[in-house]
């Protein structure tokens, strides 16, 4: 899960770049879905990749407009199986 905080609280530059250039993701990084906080302060994106360097490359392309927090997550079913030893 990628939590984006728009620099200076300004989402517009992010949306303008995305409209002009797309998501600018390297091959192998997969966008799953995203949700934007009602106040437009943050965006929550679910991304998938097998190589962390792909995610870091993508973050570098947007770091002038966004501050990032990356939280590794797994589906609930996988967490349940791990806890129960299945």
């Amino acid at each position: 899960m990628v939590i984006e905080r728009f620099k200076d609280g300004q989402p517009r530059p992010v949306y303008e770049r995305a409209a002009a250039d797309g998501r600018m993701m390297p091959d192998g990084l997969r966008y799953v879905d995203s949700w934007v906080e009602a106040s437009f302060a943050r965006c929550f994106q679910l991304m998938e990749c097998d190589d962390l360097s792909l995610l870091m490359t993508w973050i570098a392309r947007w770091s002038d407009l966004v501050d990032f927090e990356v939280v590794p997550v797994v589906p609930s079913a996988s967490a349940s199986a791990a806890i129960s030893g299945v």
Side-chain angles (χ1 to χ4, degrees):
M1 175 70 67
V2 177
I3 302 169
E4 301 178 357
R5 289 176 180 79
F6 304 113
K7 291 197 182 213
D8 300 321
Q10 299 296 317
R12 185 174 304 276
V14 173
Y15 283 91
E16 289 172 348
R17 181 181 293 171
D21 299 326
R23 293 188 183 275
M24 302 185 342
M25 296 185 312
D27 290 339
L29 179 61
R30 294 173 298 285
Y31 165 82
V32 177
D33 205 349
S34 62
W35 303 265
V36 179
E37 194 170 37
S39 66
F40 293 99
R42 296 181 296 177
C43 178
F44 304 86
Q45 293 200 54
L46 189 57
M47 310 290 278
E48 293 180 332
C49 63
D50 296 323
D51 179 355
L52 185 58
S53 69
L54 299 175
L55 184 62
M56 301 312 293
T57 297
W58 174 73
I59 286 172
R61 293 174 180 171
W62 290 94
S63 63
D64 61 320
L65 300 177
V66 178
D67 291 319
F68 292 89
E69 178 182 355
V70 177
V71 181
V73 297
V74 297
S76 294
S78 297
S80 179
I83 295 296
S84 64
V86 175

